Amino acid sequence: MSYDRVRETDPAVADALASERERQNDTLAMIASENHASEAVMEAQGSELTNKYAEGYPGERYYAGCEHADTVEELARERAKELWGADHVNVQPHSGTQANMGVYLAMLEPGDKILSMELEHGGHLSHGHPANFTGKTYEVEQYGVDPETGYIDYEDLAATAAEFEPDIVVSGYSAYPRDIDFERIQGVADDVGAYHLADIAHTTGLVAAGVHSSPVGVADFVTGSTHKTIRSGRGGIIMCEEEYADDVDAAVFPGAQGGPLMHNIAGKAVGFKEALEPEFEEYAQQVVDNARALGERLQEHGFSLVSGGTDTHLVLVDLRESHPETTGKDAETALEEVGIVLNANTVPGETRSAFNPSGIRAGTPALTTRGFGEEACREVADLISRVVDDYDDESVKAEVADRVDELTDEYTLYD
Ligand code: DSN
């Protein structure tokens, strides 16, 4: 995109947009929740549908002139059903958090009980954090991973559920590198008469491609965001069985949202079409293979991975053993200086703070989109190791930055 018309109106924003494109082209995006959408998805998101109000659902809108909005939303819904095998889909949530809000609003009353994973063990703000509306509206109890293994402690989860008697059990995580036994968590929820919400925000693409276990048809509700591993337009999605469809739809609109972001729904439809192509399965498998290669090479360099590895698109590095004096922020800052963009992250048993935690989280969805394979990801692990080992050494950082430049030139992204 040229941004010529933005430039005529607003050079300051045009400069920022062009600079952001350069930033994405010239750096390695390893924030596990990020990806690079196709030009087709971005074009759809920038379409005239940004102008259209379409409160309601296809065929039942509150405004005139919605025929093309209906076409787009129907396509997004039908493609989502095919991708994930869902009975009912709502593609209107503005984000993953708003998708979760839709389910809570549909099924819970204020004061009801949520059982979810602790944030520092890989959970999410919208699963009941005190700073989030969920923590303020509902009673929350949390479970975690086994501190020794880094895997979900399913027995502890069952025991906590029996004692707490939640109304809803939340699974699906933001920094958990392992596959999830959704059947077992559904069993826990069934035993205590609770609903089960599986939030697959991070793994939507892996689940759609069959390279991660699917909660669809297992959990009562499945939510996700649509711009992470599934690489479509930005926003959220809810999937459920037909029996909950009316409640969920009413909770999203008019319960939690007004007019849907139809331009984003167009981006979702286009991205879902791309994900239905056979190449997407190869992409998703490569994301996981790349994360494994990255993690194994980091381990060869002495880094400690939470759970000892990964089954997904991300690795969670606990720096405390290998680099006890280095915080996650130290590593994040130094790596950003060389063009490797990832995030500091809490780790199970965190001994620092959420703002300056002891770990880093690194994901491979965006690198894989620009063509990285396992050998290139092993090299990225080498580069990360060099920088974290000597993050004050300017000559090391300069050498690594040069190599990042070469890699971004070799694996091109946007024109
Ligand atoms: N911000 C996302 C992440 O990085 O995991 C979750 O919403």
Side-chain angles (χ1 to χ4, degrees):
M1 274 179 257
S2 67
Y3 306 122
D4 288 345
R5 282 166 291 196
V6 180
R7 187 165 299 286
E8 276 172 29
T9 305
D10 188 339
V13 167
D15 281 347
L17 297 178
S19 299
E20 173 60 14
R21 180 179 47 216
E22 293 312 306
R23 190 193 69 77
Q24 292 189 24
N25 279 340
D26 296 346
T27 58
L28 302 181
M30 298 188 73
I31 291 175
S33 47
E34 292 184 0
N35 210 331
H36 300 294
S38 69
E39 302 265 8
V41 166
M42 294 193 294
E43 196 171 288
Q45 286 195 160
S47 69
E48 290 77 2
L49 274 174
T50 192
N51 303 327
K52 187 72 196 102
Y53 265 118
E55 278 98 330
Y57 291 97
E60 303 172 303
R61 304 285 189 186
Y62 285 81
Y63 291 112
C66 289
E67 60 270 34
H68 307 301
D70 281 6
T71 301
V72 163
E73 187 165 348
E74 274 296 7
L75 284 168
R77 294 203 297 199
E78 290 309 311
R79 289 170 183 166
K81 283 186 198 173
E82 192 178 341
L83 270 174
W84 287 285
D87 280 355
H88 178 74
V89 171
N90 186 310
V91 293
Q92 291 194 4
H94 301 334
S95 69
T97 290
Q98 297 233 241
N100 290 338
M101 179 186 250
V103 173
Y104 300 138
L105 263 180
M107 308 317 294
L108 304 183
E109 296 295 331
D112 277 357
K113 296 177 173 180
I114 296 177
L115 176 59
S116 59
M117 170 87 87
E118 285 180 48
L119 189 68
E120 77 176 34
H121 287 221
H124 189 255
L125 288 169
S126 65
H127 296 178
H129 193 274
N132 184 265
F133 79 93
T134 46
K136 299 180 199 295
T137 310
Y138 305 108
E139 187 181 339
V140 179
E141 182 60 69
Q142 302 217 282
Y143 61 95
V145 299
D146 180 323
E148 296 301 315
T149 65
Y151 281 73
I152 295 169
D153 189 338
Y154 292 97
E155 283 178 19
D156 173 66
L157 166 57
T160 308
E163 193 171 330
F164 181 58
E165 297 182 333
D167 296 288
I168 196 163
V169 178
V170 182
S171 66
Y173 316 104
S174 295
Y176 183 66
R178 293 299 184 178
D179 209 328
I180 299 167
D181 190 341
F182 292 111
E183 277 91 359
R184 194 161 175 189
I185 299 177
Q186 185 67 38
V188 169
D190 287 342
D191 285 347
V192 297
Y195 296 113
H196 175 197
L197 161 60
D199 175 353
I200 58 167
H202 268 252
T203 53
T204 41
L206 309 185
V207 169
V211 302
H212 187 285
S213 297
S214 174
V216 179
V218 177
D220 300 297
F221 305 94
V222 178
T223 56
S225 45
T226 48
H227 47 275
K228 295 185 175 119
T229 46
I230 192 67
R231 210 170 49 182
S232 78
R234 195 172 190 93
I237 187 169
I238 303 175
M239 296 175 251
C240 63
E241 288 176 14
E242 253 341 297
E243 68 173 302
Y244 302 121
D246 289 346
D247 287 338
V248 161
D249 287 352
V252 173
F253 172 82
Q257 296 184 172
L261 307 179
M262 288 311 310
H263 55 306
N264 279 11
I265 292 173
K268 291 176 193 182
V270 174
F272 295 165
K273 182 163 193 297
E274 292 173 349
L276 283 165
E277 298 297 325
E279 299 79 51
F280 189 79
E281 280 178 29
E282 289 166 29
Y283 162 74
Q285 184 62 56
Q286 191 65 58
V287 167
V288 175
D289 293 345
N290 283 350
R292 283 216 183 94
L294 176 82
E296 283 166 8
R297 183 61 72 90
L298 285 170
Q299 286 174 308
E300 287 167 22
H301 284 294
F303 287 86
S304 171
L305 302 189
V306 173
S307 84
T310 183
D311 304 321
T312 67
H313 60 301
L314 66 85
V315 295
L316 184 57
V317 179
D318 187 340
L319 293 167
R320 290 175 298 188
E321 212 174 290
S322 59
H323 300 76
E325 306 303 324
T326 307
T327 70
K329 270 286 172 209
D330 293 331
E332 178 193 288
T333 304
L335 288 165
E336 187 177 6
E337 282 176 43
V338 302
I340 298 175
V341 185
L342 45 66
N343 65 287
N345 212 91
T346 53
V347 290
E350 182 57 66
T351 41
R352 292 193 176 98
S353 70
F355 190 68
N356 192 7
S358 303
I360 50 176
R361 186 185 68 164
T364 53
L367 294 190
T368 309
T369 290
R370 67 192 295 165
F372 278 57
E374 287 137 278
E375 197 45 50
C377 286
R378 279 189 274 273
E379 185 179 357
V380 172
D382 296 341
L383 299 178
I384 290 173
S385 172
R386 285 190 69 192
V387 171
V388 177
D389 283 351
D390 281 305
Y391 65 89
D392 282 331
D393 188 324
E394 297 303 326
S395 63
V396 166
K397 285 192 284 189
E399 277 176 36
V400 173
D402 285 346
R403 184 59 191 143
V404 169
D405 282 345
E406 287 170 5
L407 285 169
T408 56
D409 285 347
E410 186 179 342
Y411 296 91
T412 53
L413 188 55
Y414 298 122
D415 289 336

